[in-house]
Amino acid sequence: KYSLIHPFPPPKKKKQKKKESTTAKLKQRALAPPGTWPPLCICPEGTTHTGNVLLKFATGAFRPGLPVQPVCVTTTFDPMHGYDPSFSCCTNIVLHVLGLMTQPYHRLHVHHLAVHVPNEAERKDPVLYASNVRQKMATALQVPMYDLNWLDKLPYEPNPKSQALGRQKMKEHYGGIHNIPPPPTFTQDAFGNSLEEECTKKEQ
């Protein structure tokens, strides 16, 4: 017998297969015989921003302990003439696409750095490996590094759901709301201008 709310027998639940982690899939592809897979491109920051800094690298691409080739991708943009093609957290996706369409073309510079062959210490420590590659890329790009990731960005999203998700993820990551560190102090704006000089001008 079944209630009126469920006039038909409930369907049998299918056993869900355990999802394979992204890191496991990366290892599988990296350790496969040569020619099995095409070259794999990974964005280690895992999020979008203005491109004037390098955020903390995720370690998935470095866990296999194999050589990687860093590739720096930049866009030429003048804030006085043109539309900024970078996508940050406070940008509406629809307005951003419309803004991109206001320009007839966008320039993209791709700089291939030398292949980084990990040493013994880097093969054993993917965090060290990711940090050293990030340092090499930051030097080539001539930009500073911030130890931030997409979790730090979520609270600033315009979407309330993303903000709530960010607060929840931050609590889980740091083990409680009281353990969350204060946000960093930025010395430059999105265009690389000094914020300290701007504050000094306002005070004067």
Side-chain angles (χ1 to χ4, degrees):
K1 294 182 180 180
Y2 300 95
S3 66
L4 294 176
I5 300 177
H6 299 287
F8 302 103
K12 293 182 179 180
K13 293 184 178 180
K14 295 181 180 180
K15 292 183 179 180
Q16 294 182 350
K17 294 182 180 180
K18 189 177 180 180
K19 290 185 177 180
E20 193 176 10
S21 68
T22 304
T23 301
K25 291 182 179 179
L26 288 174
K27 281 187 175 182
Q28 181 184 2
R29 291 189 61 162
L31 300 175
T36 305
W37 298 96
L40 183 63
C41 178
I42 300 173
C43 300
E45 290 175 294
T47 186
T48 58
H49 56 87
T50 60
N52 292 288
V53 300
L54 272 185
L55 304 183
K56 189 175 182 179
F57 280 10
T59 58
F62 307 95
R63 289 188 178 278
L66 298 175
V68 298
Q69 182 173 25
V71 179
C72 301
V73 181
T74 58
T75 58
T76 56
F77 166 65
D78 181 0
M80 298 300 294
H81 305 91
Y83 181 78
D84 185 2
S86 64
F87 185 80
S88 58
C89 62
C90 299
T91 307
N92 181 287
I93 182 64
V94 177
L95 296 178
H96 183 65
V97 172
L98 292 175
L100 292 174
M101 295 171 64
T102 61
Q103 296 187 157
Y105 62 89
H106 297 273
R107 290 189 177 93
L108 190 68
H109 292 179
V110 181
H111 181 199
H112 291 80
L113 304 183
V115 174
H116 185 104
V117 180
N119 55 36
E120 188 62 28
E122 291 173 334
R123 282 195 291 269
K124 293 180 179 179
D125 186 356
V127 176
L128 174 65
Y129 189 3
S131 177
N132 290 344
V133 172
R134 183 174 71 139
Q135 179 63 65
K136 181 183 290 187
M137 296 179 70
T139 302
L141 291 169
Q142 297 182 350
V143 297
M145 298 183 297
Y146 283 116
D147 285 333
L148 303 173
N149 54 32
W150 73 280
L151 283 179
D152 301 285
K153 178 178 159 182
L154 281 177
Y156 301 95
E157 291 281 357
N159 187 344
K161 289 185 178 180
S162 298
Q163 294 176 7
L165 176 63
R167 289 191 292 268
Q168 182 62 33
K169 289 290 184 181
M170 293 285 277
K171 290 178 185 177
E172 295 174 359
H173 181 72
Y174 291 103
I177 190 172
H178 299 292
N179 298 327
I180 298 177
T185 302
F186 296 98
T187 58
Q188 294 180 336
D189 63 10
F191 304 114
N193 301 317
S194 174
L195 294 176
E196 296 177 352
E197 293 179 2
E198 189 66 24
C199 292
T200 304
K201 290 179 181 178
K202 290 182 179 180
E203 291 177 357
Q204 293 176 349

